[in-house]
Amino acid sequence: MSESTRPSAISEAHPPVLEAEDLVMSYVIPTGERREVRAVRGVSLRVPAGKTVGVVGESGCGKSTLARMLVGLEPPTSGTVKVRGQVAESLPSRERHALLRRVQMVFQSPFTSLDPRMTVRQIIREPLDVAVPRRSRADRRARVDELMAAVGLADHLGDRHPVQLSGGQQQRVGLARALAADSEVIICDEPVSALDVSIQAQVINLLRDLQDELGIAYVFIAHNLGVVASISDYVAVMYLGRVVEYGSTDAIYDHPRHPYTKALLSSAPVPEPGVDLDETRIVLAGELPSPANVPTGCSFRTRCWKAQDVCAAVDPDLDSSDGSAHEVACHFPE
């Protein structure tokens, strides 16, 4: 079967603002032998307006590469990204840039994603200078003040440089900059992993509040399963460049159907006295295969305790046996 996955089912009550269809990203390794690495292998996602789609998986599974394609920083090898049903590449330059401004990104490292030579106000105002240069200086300054207030940045921080801010404050600046473009979707690539736990909670609460107030949609990429559960409406589980399970957050966390999802969830800390982690944890055999040498058939089969001959021969499609929105790419799902 094809490596591609069809777009996940989402209620028509929440039409998608961002869609990815069969995205593939391939790289060629510059060695003596010409070797191709497929970092992303046929991923399809639908992000409903005002909702959050969480993306989880081990390091190296293609999460950040997917994020860069969704925001337009890297053109996919194949596949399409649609914003409000439109393919950006098919539009004239001006319309294409206007469409892509609706999708912005908050990066993992808040410090390295901010220009150290600019002040907070200059960083937040930059998208306004580019997108609406005819807007008066006073109007742009007023908009910057609104955005700083919206993300909880005190007015006196406006004249400081990123190095003079805490990690949480830096991430708030990055979020304000993303909002300055009047974005409808924000791609959050590990936005709290570099922050202390207490600051993580503040940023997550801020993201929720902004979503409730502005109707923003998020693609929230993280390896912390607890953080993803706290903010996401839907969750996509990635393994070696593919989505192997997709569904509502409750469905994924309460009733995981793919063996990899079960193993991933079992590795998360359980803050409950009396729970024996050794009895609940699933320890996977072997190492994560290289993206340059993906196993035939199901890519998870070399570490799966349920693997049979068909798993080596046929790569299962992401599908649902009962027609629900809970989809799994496995020959022997739970």
Side-chain angles (χ1 to χ4, degrees), residues 52 55 70 91 112 117 127 131 147 163 176 180 182 189 204 224 263 295-296 301 312:
T52 300
V55 181
L70 292 177
L91 299 175
T112 57
R117 299 165 298 180
L147 291 166
V163 72
D182 293 328
D189 186 12
I204 294 299
N224 187 318
T296 61
R301 66 175 177 81

Side-chain angles (χ1 to χ4, degrees), residues 27 50 102 145 149 190 205 268 272 282 302 334:
Y27 300 99
R102 299 182 183 180
D145 290 341
E190 301 274 9
N205 289 334
E272 295 183 22
I282 299 173
T302 57
E334 299 292 331

